[in-house]
Amino acid sequence: MQTLAAPRRRVGMKTGKTWAWAPSRIISLRKQPRGSSLTSPLAWASEDLGGSGGTLADGFAILATAGRFALAAPLAETLAAAWLLSHASVKLPVNAMTIAPVRPHDRIILDADGRLSGRASGVPFAQEAEHIAVLAHSDERPMIALAAVKDSRLAEGRNLAGDASNTVTFDGVRPLADVPAPIGLDQTTLMQMGSVIRSVQIAAALQAILSLSVAYANERVAFERPIGKFQAVQQNLARLAGEVAAALAVSGSAANAIAQADASEDAAFLEAASAKIRTAEAAAEGAAIAHQVLGAIGFTEEHVLHRFTLRMLSWRDDFGNESYWAAELGRRVVRRGADEFWPLVASR
Amino acid sequence: MTVNLQFDPIRLPPECEILRAEVRAFLAEEIAAGTFDPHQPGHGDSYNRAFSRRVGAKGWIGMTWPKRYGGHERSQLERYVVTEEFRVANAPSHLHFVADRQSGPILLKYAPEHVKADVLPRICGGELCFSIGMSEPGSGSDLFAAKTKATKTDGGWRINGSKIWTTNAQVADYMLALFRTASPTKENRRHGLTQFLVDMKAPGIMVNPINQMTGKPGFNEVVFDNAFVPDDHVLGEIDGAWKQATSELAYERSGPERFLETFYLLLELIRALGPEPDLRGAEGLGRLVAQLHTLRRMSVSVAGMLQAGKEPVVEGSIVKDLGTLWEQKLPGRVRELAAFVEAEMLNRATLEDQLAFATVVAPKFTIQGGTTEILRGIIARGLGLR
């Protein structure tokens, strides 16, 4: 495995009287003792597999908390990997994991000799993880595999926020484990799960951005008043609150739908796709408003704001971007036909 | 500080789905009988007294109110289902809807017992149409600048002045109105307005219709010339309506009617795109669907909060802000996405008729029931900025 040094970043920034913290690497996955509260990254796997046996709802709550701090560590990725591996009853490694593929059209093949080949781009934190959970295609059905990152080839890459995002190439890699995926779990399922994870993170980051922006507007004085007293600024922040509200509602609904597992296939698709589409739109709109409110200070490297805005803008691209999901959702809706459209919406 | 917005993932309970099936069956029968055409835009805004009585007989007006006033003690979520199914079907519910949504709840809270016993059962029966007298020629969004006067007289009040842009007034049986009973004070400019229940058949009330830019009636000017309102039609505290009027608006804001008024356009777009849409059509439609689903999940969540006895003023205002802007933009989006649909598509003519209507009607969405600017002021206050 190539070792690439993670850039050092400042982790806190004083904004007026407010300290907003965005801790980098507050969770050391490798060193955490078993059974401690920090086994949360493995919440989505049962205890006999080495997980902490949390519910899906617990995991989404953990992700929301991490999102509010723009956590720059592979927590969501480890959770997602544990979720995937638990479907194959694969014993979990106790270290940082990531998951592949994260792009809807990337394909990884498990051949008849049991070797992985193919390329997955934009794999988050691959260079900082030790293991990678893979959904692979085989002649018969989707397979779930666990591979060591060091056995793959990594290309350097970073997302907008500077977090590792690597193209991972498997050239006939023998996985540590491979098991057929349960019926019904395929790449679309993985993309839906990943999208809901990202939408929960985006909504949480937006919440933090709203609090930070409101606090700044109440403190920063211009023309002898806090800028939050100006109607133009108030109207912008109200719009930001609307985007935050939309993101919270749609991501919370989608996470709930996954946790309850009570939706029909089309309804689950509607929930997950909508969550990714709408939170991605909210991320773009919300980031623009927050940067406008914070002005020059929010555009500095020192300030914490970009840790939220850039991270959430990057998250839009993982597990299918909003345009991909919109086209897929649109196609599904027209295939069902106009008469079956409202019943689908009303079923949620 | 942390800003807390909450939208819990409320799901409609099973009784709602039983009810939904009943509502759909009823509406299908009405459509089959020719009561209304679900494809005809603007029907949701029309008046049909016979239809409203049949809706009342079904128990779908005043659903959440106490049984002793003709209500049905059902949940806000059940009411939600009826409201959204009526909107989606384009059913003519205008006659009873204002009374059901906001006038009834105000009467329940502030009217004397015998007035409640008289009026509320008739609302539930679909017999009564209400209008809301707030805006005046010199005041609109600034509710507390109202000047129309109520002067104390024997056994009641004499009303002089006028209200304007009053929806429903041309057919309404009653109006819930704000009149000035005292001057504002230095400390409180909102002081001095009182809420009244006005019988529109009382002498001294003249209704002058004002056509809207759709070419259809809708607005009215209502002139009060020494009209008499009895003492027992005062609602709540004299001079203290400012404490009451804002809670009325909370009811008005978050319902599905705030984003489903032009829903027919989306259905017609799906028909126009057909089963094999181009990428642009599919992607554009997908976004609209995601946005609609989001709005609905937000709106259901607010209904859940109302059911739990909360007052989600900020959340309700956010739903109306996002919802009305969305439906205002919908005609434009549908027009763009249908631009390359072949001219001989079966529903092209229907779509164009609907687009024409929706494009003309769209400006009102962000004005009625609290303008975008007022809503954002309320949201900003909730955020701690004012």
Side-chain angles (χ1 to χ4, degrees):
Chain A
M1 174 189 161
Q2 291 170 274
T3 48
L4 302 163
R8 296 187 67 82
R9 300 180 205 109
R10 293 195 49 170
V11 296
M13 176 65 203
K14 202 163 185 275
T15 64
K17 287 176 235 152
T18 311
W19 280 89
W21 285 93
S24 180
R25 308 188 171 287
I26 56 167
I27 294 183
S28 164
L29 291 149
R30 205 175 314 193
K31 288 178 195 153
Q32 73 192 28
R34 292 286 303 273
S36 81
S37 60
L38 284 179
T39 51
S40 60
L42 304 178
W44 282 340
S46 65
E47 290 179 50
D48 55 321
L49 296 177
S52 61
T55 63
L56 284 160
D58 292 338
F60 285 119
I62 292 165
L63 286 175
T65 304
R68 281 195 288 276
F69 291 93
L71 180 68
L75 173 64
E77 293 71 17
T78 302
L79 265 167
W83 167 82
L84 183 62
L85 294 172
S86 70
H87 282 90
S89 300
V90 173
K91 184 94 177 155
L92 298 183
V94 185
N95 51 34
M97 288 186 282
T98 189
I99 192 164
V102 291
R103 299 276 155 87
H105 299 299
D106 283 352
R107 286 277 179 281
I108 299 168
I109 308 291
L110 186 71
D111 65 22
D113 294 337
R115 288 173 188 277
L116 291 168
S117 60
R119 196 169 63 190
S121 50
V123 178
F125 294 107
Q127 70 190 46
E128 293 169 29
E130 290 193 15
H131 291 93
I132 184 163
V134 178
L135 187 81
H137 296 258
S138 73
D139 284 344
E140 283 153 35
R141 57 194 285 192
M143 301 290 287
I144 294 170
L146 176 66
V149 172
K150 66 175 169 49
D151 295 336
S152 67
R153 248 183 328 120
L154 297 188
E156 162 73 340
R158 298 207 169 264
N159 69 13
L160 299 175
D163 295 334
S165 170
N166 309 99
T167 296
V168 179
T169 307
F170 297 99
D171 301 315
V173 170
R174 190 169 287 284
L176 306 173
D178 61 272
V179 180
I183 303 288
L185 196 158
D186 56 16
Q187 193 151 329
T188 303
T189 325
L190 170 60
M191 292 301 135
Q192 286 182 36
M193 183 64 173
S195 287
V196 175
I197 288 172
R198 286 295 187 248
S199 70
V200 168
Q201 290 176 287
I202 289 173
L206 275 166
Q207 268 183 304
I209 286 169
L210 177 63
S211 291
L212 194 149
S213 303
V214 168
Y216 181 79
N218 274 329
E219 287 166 6
R220 170 68 179 174
V221 173
F223 306 103
E224 299 169 352
R225 283 194 277 172
I227 60 169
K229 296 292 171 202
F230 291 98
Q231 281 198 350
V233 177
Q234 289 178 357
Q235 298 269 318
N236 273 341
L237 286 170
R239 275 176 54 220
L240 173 58
E243 295 304 305
V244 176
L248 280 173
V250 75
S251 64
S253 180
N256 173 269
I258 284 184
Q260 299 299 321
D262 61 351
S264 69
E265 194 203 335
D266 274 355
F269 192 97
L270 171 71
E271 292 261 15
S274 297
K276 193 66 193 298
I277 295 164
R278 191 62 185 87
T279 57
E281 290 176 347
E285 194 76 14
I289 296 171
H291 277 292
Q292 187 68 21
V293 170
L294 273 93
I297 190 131
F299 191 63
T300 60
E301 188 179 16
E302 293 265 294
H303 197 278
V304 74
L305 180 62
H306 67 80
R307 302 172 62 77
F308 292 96
T309 56
L310 295 180
R311 208 152 262 128
M312 96 188 158
L313 291 174
S314 292
W315 287 335
R316 296 178 301 174
D317 289 331
D318 300 338
F319 305 102
N321 63 26
E322 65 275 26
S323 294
Y324 164 80
W325 283 112
E328 292 295 308
L329 181 58
R331 286 192 193 103
R332 249 179 214 244
V333 165
V334 293
R335 277 202 300 273
R336 287 174 62 96
D339 293 340
E340 289 305 310
F341 174 57
W342 174 249
L344 173 66
V345 174
S347 74
R348 301 312 297 158
Chain B
M1 77 168 268
T2 306
V3 177
N4 264 324
L5 292 170
Q6 204 168 348
F7 286 89
D8 292 336
I10 304 288
R11 302 286 173 199
L12 299 173
E15 63 266 24
C16 282
E17 297 316 312
I18 296 166
L19 173 62
R20 189 189 300 283
E22 288 170 26
V23 174
R24 285 181 183 167
F26 169 80
L27 292 172
E29 278 173 32
E30 293 286 340
I31 292 166
T35 308
F36 65 96
D37 175 359
H39 304 289
Q40 184 67 45
H43 252 182
D45 272 351
S46 63
Y47 305 92
N48 185 330
R49 283 196 182 263
F51 177 73
S52 284
R53 280 171 195 266
R54 292 197 290 277
V55 176
K58 279 285 183 187
W60 295 336
I61 305 174
M63 289 177 76
T64 62
W65 308 347
K67 286 184 178 166
R68 67 179 183 282
Y69 301 125
H72 304 278
E73 300 182 5
R74 300 182 82 162
S75 72
Q76 292 287 348
L77 295 172
E78 287 174 296
R79 179 178 177 272
Y80 190 96
V81 166
V82 172
T83 306
E84 68 176 359
E85 290 295 330
F86 271 61
R87 279 287 153 176
V88 164
N90 227 345
S93 45
H94 222 62
L95 190 110
H96 62 263
F97 191 67
V98 168
D100 175 63
R101 178 175 66 188
Q102 62 201 98
S103 312
I106 291 281
L107 293 172
L108 262 176
K109 220 166 166 184
Y110 300 109
E113 189 56 38
H114 69 278
V115 173
K116 286 198 266 197
D118 169 35
V119 178
L120 292 173
R122 289 190 286 145
I123 293 180
C124 295
E127 297 168 37
L128 296 183
C129 179
F130 271 68
S131 63
I132 303 160
M134 289 193 179
S135 291
E136 296 186 6
S139 69
S141 288
D142 186 4
L143 218 55
F144 300 99
K147 287 197 172 80
T148 297
K149 245 187 175 158
T151 314
K152 192 71 189 89
T153 179
D154 250 11
W157 302 75
R158 289 283 170 195
I159 315 297
N160 284 287
S162 57
K163 294 288 175 185
I164 201 163
W165 321 134
T166 319
T167 309
N168 288 358
Q170 78 278 20
V171 294
D173 303 283
Y174 288 99
M175 173 191 282
L176 284 195
L178 284 182
F179 298 131
R180 184 153 295 288
T181 44
S183 301
T185 59
K186 260 194 185 139
E187 298 74 43
N188 185 1
R189 65 178 293 271
R190 299 185 296 175
H191 173 86
L193 289 174
T194 305
Q195 197 161 27
F196 289 86
L197 170 66
V198 180
D199 183 345
M200 292 295 282
K201 290 172 194 74
I205 302 177
M206 193 167 58
V207 177
N208 302 317
I210 303 169
N211 272 7
Q212 297 183 331
M213 62 189 261
T214 54
K216 294 184 179 181
F219 285 151
N220 298 278
E221 179 196 41
V222 184
V223 181
F224 299 88
D225 179 13
N226 233 18
F228 179 76
V229 179
D231 276 330
D232 61 4
H233 282 198
V234 170
L235 302 175
E237 200 179 314
I238 290 171
D239 299 338
W242 59 277
K243 297 172 195 165
Q244 297 158 211
T246 44
S247 70
E248 176 174 3
L249 295 175
Y251 284 107
E252 197 189 343
R253 278 179 182 145
S254 61
E257 68 274 16
R258 292 307 182 190
F259 49 89
L260 290 177
E261 194 157 331
T262 51
F263 177 77
Y264 50 82
L265 277 180
L266 205 46
L267 289 184
E268 230 37 62
L269 175 66
I270 293 168
R271 291 192 185 101
L273 291 173
E276 302 287 338
D278 63 11
L279 187 56
R280 180 175 166 277
E283 202 248 359
L285 173 65
R287 283 186 190 253
L288 291 173
V289 171
Q291 291 155 358
L292 173 66
H293 166 73
T294 304
L295 287 167
R296 183 173 175 280
R297 297 298 297 134
M298 297 173 82
S299 178
V300 169
S301 186
V302 172
M305 289 188 251
L306 288 172
Q307 178 60 28
K310 298 180 192 167
E311 284 200 17
V313 175
V314 173
E315 285 85 353
S317 296
I318 286 176
V319 172
K320 182 174 186 291
D321 183 19
L322 292 182
T324 53
L325 270 176
W326 182 80
E327 68 175 355
Q328 187 167 74
K329 286 184 179 155
L330 185 61
R333 289 296 295 139
V334 170
R335 178 176 175 275
E336 287 168 8
L337 294 172
F340 301 115
V341 170
E342 307 229 351
E344 58 270 25
M345 274 301 295
L346 281 177
N347 70 336
R348 183 90 231 183
T350 313
L351 180 63
E352 281 177 5
D353 282 352
Q354 294 189 351
L355 264 179
F357 183 83
T359 303
V360 177
V361 90
K364 79 168 180 172
F365 299 144
T366 53
I367 299 168
Q368 60 189 4
T371 65
T372 303
E373 290 78 4
I374 291 289
L375 293 171
R376 290 182 180 168
I378 292 168
I379 296 163
R381 180 171 290 118
L383 294 176
L385 292 163
R386 303 178 63 181

